[in-house]
Amino acid sequence: QLQASGGGLVQAGASLRLSCTGSRRAFSNSAMGWFRQAPGEEREFVAAIRWSDGPYYADSVKGRFTIARDNARNTVYLQMNRLKPEDTAVYYCAAGSADLVVPASSYDYWGRGTEVTVSS
């Protein structure tokens, strides 16, 4: 019900914008979030935005990444600036009621992910 796109291979310092589109049902949820999973690592919270508040960011991306949602287009974006090699991961978008935005278990809908590779 969600599909992320916009990943790619870039050099450190570059920018990428990820997009996530999906069904109206998925986007009717309060919270939209982005997570990422690097090889051999657990999935980690990146950013989230809710109807009522937000945005929220992981400390590692604060000041470099921006999340935004366009409810009319059922789309959520993740603008990623000043990318670093440690940002390399598969990025997933998620939707859910998310009373707590950080845990992945708070989200009911997940996209298939888009791969981001940042070379040094």
Side-chain angles (χ1 to χ4, degrees), residues 10-72:
V10 296
Q11 290 188 329
S15 298
L16 280 175
R17 189 177 79 158
L18 306 184
S19 300
C20 174
T21 59
S23 66
R24 181 179 299 178
R25 179 177 182 178
F27 275 82
S28 67
N29 282 271
S30 170
M32 300 299 302
W34 285 95
F35 288 75
R36 66 187 181 187
Q37 188 167 16
E41 302 289 334
E42 294 187 354
R43 192 169 298 189
E44 66 173 0
F45 170 79
V46 175
I49 188 167
R50 294 192 291 206
W51 287 109
S52 57
D53 56 20
Y56 301 89
Y57 298 101
D59 289 342
S60 59
V61 307
K62 201 171 294 183
R64 299 187 298 122
F65 291 11
T66 303
I67 187 172
R69 67 190 292 172
D70 184 342
N71 297 314

